[in-house]
Amino acid sequence: MSPNYMRSFSEGCLRPPTVIGQFHTLFFGSVRMFFLGVLGFAVYGNEALHFSCDPDKREVNLFCYNQFRPITPQVFWALQLVIVLVPGAFFHLYAACKSIKQEDILQKSFYAGFYMFSVFLRIILEAVAFWLQIQLFGFKVNAIYMCDVGALEKKFNITRCMVPEHLEKTIFLIAMYTFTVITVVLCIAEIFEISCRRLGILKSQ
């Protein structure tokens, strides 16, 4: 791909054709990614090391931690961010290959519809991630996790495990749910903005 295509692609990703889309990019890139990258590591970085069970043995701790965390929250949210970016990136790659200027996207029905479809996909992916997050992590992290260690052939099938910094993790969970809701609201508002521009209610940029 030529440098011109790469430049058009990067400009499209950083400067979408709508005002709300540009705000979404700013929110997504600066706030959400910073929150996950910096604070997420601080909250979850050493969780596996501090997760302890009774009896406090390495094999029991590892077994119960894997049961407690089938997937670590940092990995889940990082995958969520990447997957949600795919529809928009695909559209802007298409626009770059077709040499479509950002200001022309909303002027033609096909391009506007294609872009709106990518926003719809973002909403669907965020909704699926929201549901999966509920299934995996719930809304609250308890201080005690009851682990089933029957597979290890222990005398007692259920053992108690201490979850470190459970309150911080609960706050972080709520924050990530909130970010997902904000992103969905921005996507819906962006579709509304596109519709208003197409109908002439709002002036084009």
Side-chain angles (χ1 to χ4, degrees):
M1 182 175 289
S2 69
N4 288 335
Y5 287 155
M6 291 301 297
R7 183 167 59 253
S8 298
F9 172 69
S10 60
E11 288 177 355
C13 292
L14 296 175
R15 191 176 62 85
T18 62
V19 174
I20 295 176
Q22 294 173 19
F23 181 78
H24 171 270
T25 300
L26 177 65
F27 172 79
F28 201 97
S30 61
V31 179
R32 196 172 178 182
M33 289 187 177
F34 175 83
F35 193 88
L36 176 59
V38 177
L39 297 182
F41 179 79
V43 173
Y44 290 97
N46 296 319
E47 183 181 48
L49 295 177
H50 298 151
F51 187 89
S52 60
C53 302
D54 182 21
D56 189 8
K57 295 182 179 180
R58 178 175 173 77
E59 62 172 334
V60 175
N61 291 343
L62 287 176
F63 180 84
C64 289
Y65 182 74
N66 289 333
Q67 188 180 120
F68 175 65
R69 294 285 192 218
I71 181 173
T72 59
Q74 307 101 301
V75 172
F76 175 82
W77 289 319
L79 287 173
Q80 177 186 356
L81 295 183
V82 171
I83 292 173
V84 168
L85 288 175
V86 169
F90 182 80
F91 171 82
H92 293 300
L93 180 62
Y94 169 82
C97 292
K98 292 293 185 179
S99 299
I100 305 170
K101 296 180 180 179
Q102 291 298 304
E103 54 269 19
D104 295 336
I105 291 176
L106 301 184
Q107 303 302 317
K108 297 184 178 181
S109 298
F110 177 76
Y111 299 149
F114 191 5
Y115 181 75
M116 193 179 295
F117 177 71
S118 73
V119 179
F120 270 119
L121 281 181
R122 266 189 282 162
I123 295 174
I124 293 172
L125 292 172
E126 288 281 17
V128 171
F130 190 91
W131 179 81
L132 285 175
Q133 183 175 333
I134 293 174
Q135 301 304 310
L136 290 170
F137 311 125
F139 290 95
K140 181 182 179 181
V141 179
N142 296 316
I144 303 296
Y145 174 72
M146 305 305 294
C147 174
D148 183 0
V149 293
L152 292 177
E153 300 181 356
K154 299 295 178 183
K155 294 182 179 179
F156 302 100
N157 290 338
I158 304 297
T159 187
R160 289 162 52 95
C161 299
M162 301 293 295
V163 181
E165 302 170 341
H166 62 96
L167 181 58
E168 289 184 13
K169 292 179 174 63
T170 298
I171 295 173
F172 201 91
L173 269 178
I174 299 302
M176 295 306 293
Y177 280 121
T178 304
F179 287 152
T180 301
V181 171
I182 291 174
T183 303
V184 170
V185 170
L186 288 175
C187 289
I188 294 173
E190 187 173 7
I191 291 175
F192 181 75
E193 180 186 347
I194 295 171
S195 301
C196 289
R197 291 188 184 281
R198 292 291 301 166
L199 294 172
I201 299 174
L202 293 176
K203 293 181 179 180
S204 298
Q205 299 178 71

